[in-house]
Amino acid sequence: MATAAASFAASRTHSRAWSAALLVMDSVFITIGAVVAERIHVLPVPVLVATALASLASLAIAGTYRRSFSGSMRDEWYAIGAALAIITIPMLLLTFVVPALWYSRTAFGTFAGIAFLGIAATRSVAHRARVPRRLALVGVPERIDLALMHLRPRRDDSLLRLPVANIESTFQSKSLPPWMQGALAWGATRIIVTEALPPDQLLTLMESAAK
């Protein structure tokens, strides 16, 4: 039996100091990736510098320095991977066009791999050390208990139980349901709903959780 019918990850805004720390850590691994790539195959310095700066810019545009998708590290990895792919894939395609870069594919691939693994690893460690989870569980009390048995919360987790006997009745008005408002006001990083939700309300709830 499924213990959760829906789960929403709420994002958290980074402070300026934390954004600067992330930028420094990302720069370190991007630099390491560029140096290793240059060792594999000699690349023009302007190409390496442009690739590194473009990678940092792509990570910034993806919002990874402004906001943490703290409800799920998997979402953070997706954002990092997509940002690096936007830069690396065109560079790999360029190797098929520019003869001077013909043998640089392995170097570009190594650069992207090191950058992704390094950035993802540091974000994972920082995320776990910095962001204690705040889990809000919504639904019938018996299902909430069952969900907790499967979740096995950590000692530093904060839990908020929001018992709701009939969750569909909470969508009568146009505003967010009271349990959603309560979970967001409490600062939940993840909202776990043990009951089936109306399909037409899912998008609205997900957008509210992401704000």
Side-chain angles (χ1 to χ4, degrees):
M1 179 183 295
T3 59
S7 180
F8 306 96
S11 59
R12 298 168 68 94
T13 303
H14 291 313
S15 65
R16 290 184 179 179
W18 189 247
S19 296
L22 290 176
L23 178 61
V24 170
M25 288 189 289
D26 293 354
S27 299
V28 168
F29 281 101
I30 285 175
T31 301
I32 292 174
V35 171
V36 174
E38 198 276 338
R39 297 275 182 165
I40 292 176
H41 181 76
V42 178
L43 295 171
V45 174
V47 172
L48 288 174
V49 173
T51 303
L53 292 177
S55 298
L56 289 172
S58 183
L59 288 167
I61 293 172
T64 61
Y65 299 125
R66 296 192 310 269
R67 187 175 294 274
S68 170
F69 311 103
S70 58
S72 172
M73 267 312 304
R74 183 174 55 186
D75 295 337
E76 198 98 23
W77 296 335
Y78 288 160
I80 294 168
L84 293 175
I86 289 174
I87 304 304
T88 306
I89 291 176
M91 296 302 295
L92 289 174
L93 294 176
L94 195 62
T95 62
F96 291 94
V97 179
V98 180
L101 299 177
W102 183 263
Y103 297 102
S104 303
R105 296 171 200 165
T106 303
F108 285 126
T110 301
F111 164 79
I114 292 175
F116 174 78
L117 292 176
I119 294 172
T122 54
R123 294 295 179 89
S124 298
V125 173
H127 177 272
R128 186 173 181 85
R130 174 180 176 266
V131 183
R133 297 191 304 178
R134 297 174 66 85
L135 308 177
L137 294 98
V138 185
V140 178
E142 293 78 9
R143 286 182 178 269
I144 291 178
D145 293 336
L146 184 60
L148 286 173
M149 289 176 57
H150 287 268
L151 283 173
R152 296 179 181 178
R154 303 195 304 254
R155 291 183 178 180
D156 62 341
D157 286 343
S158 297
L159 302 176
L160 175 65
R161 294 168 176 262
L162 295 169
V164 179
N166 184 359
I167 202 163
E168 290 190 4
S169 64
T170 64
F171 292 95
Q172 299 302 323
S173 63
K174 294 183 179 180
S175 60
L176 285 176
W179 55 265
M180 189 68 171
Q181 296 180 32
L184 294 176
W186 180 67
T189 57
R190 181 172 288 278
I191 303 170
I192 300 170
V193 184
T194 64
E195 314 303 314
L197 295 173
D200 58 332
Q201 297 291 336
L202 282 175
L203 182 59
T204 301
L205 295 175
M206 293 176 67
E207 290 176 346
S208 299
K211 291 181 180 178

